[in-house]
Amino acid sequence: MATNENLPPNVIKQLARELKNLDESPPEGIKVVVNDDDLTTIFADIEGPAGTPYENGTFRMKLLLSHDFPQSPPKGYFLTKIFHPNIATNGEICVNTLKKDWNPSLGLRHVLIVVRCLLIEPFPESALNEQAGKMLLENYEEYAKHARKGCDRSTLLHWLYTGIHALKPKPKCQPGISESTTALNVDQANVVSGGQMPLLSAPSIVPAEVPVQNARDENVVPVLPTESANVGASAAAQKTEGMVAVKAQVDRRKMDARKKSLKRL
């Protein structure tokens, strides 16, 4: 196996350019998975072509590049189980493009398209899977039945793989949240970090002054929390006014006492 360090700089540059092009403009039914740390192992998800037994399936494959690539062809393997004459039970792909018909000028896009076309038109004459090749020639319906079973399984495995390895999107901020709310959350966090408990919102309950069983009585008017707050504020104001009046009387008595003392002098 080759690595990025063992490939010539011009080959690495060419591969990076091809992979970027495949990512920005992928071939129909093919999605390439790029690993910048190792350009010699290229993964791709191939959708089963419509009108074939592989329709609705998704198959993962990989291309392995040798240290003398592109002088020698890559080796292709299906990682997803598939029933196909030109794909061995270990996943190895047999296609002339990757063997005798290889040309160093061929790019990765061409290779991937040829592999997907292999799902449309198999070549049972050069079968790696003899059972699939024989079944294709003798009883296509039976062959298609076996291929569709593998297709359903491959789709399930692909969903499981995607669900396990796909990155979870970061939660987005919900619209409509004002800056004041954000500031309030920050202040509460600061209070907690300072060793104090944040204020909790009061639960919505029936005030203790009004029994629950009397809440339905038409003659009883329940006191709402806002009304209780108003009553409390009014009582506080009356208490303050009373204290001011008492203080004024005390000051007036002191003044009268001073006047009497001055008259005696």
Side-chain angles (χ1 to χ4, degrees):
M1 280 296 299
T3 60
N4 288 354
E5 291 77 10
N6 296 332
L7 293 175
N10 61 322
V11 175
I12 295 177
K13 185 176 180 180
Q14 175 65 25
L15 284 174
R17 185 162 51 246
E18 283 195 65
L19 292 173
K20 181 180 179 182
N21 181 266
L22 287 169
D23 183 60
E24 295 177 350
S25 179
E28 180 182 1
I30 301 175
K31 181 180 179 182
V32 177
V33 181
V34 179
N35 180 9
D36 294 332
D37 296 330
D38 185 7
L39 299 180
T40 63
T41 304
I42 300 168
F43 297 92
D45 290 333
I46 299 180
E47 297 177 2
T52 70
Y54 309 103
E55 184 177 1
N56 298 325
T58 302
F59 304 88
R60 172 152 291 200
M61 63 158 294
K62 69 177 178 179
L63 292 175
L64 300 180
L65 310 185
S66 60
H67 67 278
D68 59 345
F69 178 85
Q71 300 306 317
S72 61
K75 294 183 178 180
Y77 296 88
F78 268 82
L79 302 179
T80 306
K81 194 76 173 178
I82 183 172
F83 187 75
H84 190 285
N86 305 112
I87 302 173
T89 54
N90 66 347
E92 182 181 356
I93 303 171
C94 178
V95 61
N96 289 337
T97 302
L98 300 179
K99 296 185 181 298
K100 63 180 182 179
D101 292 342
W102 173 253
N103 189 312
S105 63
L106 297 177
L108 298 176
R109 178 182 293 270
H110 178 79
V111 172
L112 293 172
I113 292 176
V114 167
V115 172
R116 188 169 189 264
C117 288
L118 196 64
L119 301 183
I120 302 175
E121 187 177 354
F123 297 96
E125 296 80 7
S126 58
L128 288 180
N129 187 328
E130 294 182 0
Q131 179 188 6
K134 183 179 180 181
M135 193 175 295
L136 174 61
L137 292 174
E138 296 179 354
N139 190 338
Y140 179 82
E141 293 300 327
E142 190 69 17
Y143 159 76
K145 180 180 178 181
H146 278 70
R148 278 192 291 268
K149 287 182 179 179
C151 171
D152 295 338
R153 183 173 180 272
S154 74
T155 305
L156 176 60
L157 292 176
H158 177 75
W159 286 345
L160 291 174
Y161 183 92
T162 304
I164 294 173
H165 296 281
L167 294 177
K168 296 181 180 180
K170 296 181 179 180
K172 298 181 179 180
C173 294
Q174 298 180 356
I177 299 179
S178 62
E179 295 181 358
S180 60
T181 304
T182 305
L184 178 59
N185 294 335
V186 173
D187 291 341
Q188 290 181 351
N190 293 336
V191 171
V192 173
S193 62
Q196 301 177 7
M197 292 296 294
L199 294 177
L200 300 178
S201 58
S204 177
I205 58 175
V206 179
E209 292 80 2
V210 181
V212 176
Q213 62 270 20
N214 294 336
R216 297 182 180 179
D217 191 349
E218 297 180 356
N219 297 324
V220 177
V221 180
V223 180
L224 299 178
T226 53
E227 295 177 354
S228 300
N230 294 336
V231 172
S234 178
Q238 293 177 0
K239 183 178 180 180
T240 303
E241 292 177 0
M243 293 176 64
V244 171
V246 171
K247 187 175 183 300
Q249 292 179 0
V250 172
D251 293 340
R252 196 177 304 110
R253 291 176 181 176
K254 289 182 179 179
M255 185 64 68
D256 294 339
R258 288 181 181 178
K259 289 180 179 180
K260 292 180 180 181
S261 298
L262 291 174
K263 289 181 179 180
R264 292 175 181 173
L265 294 175

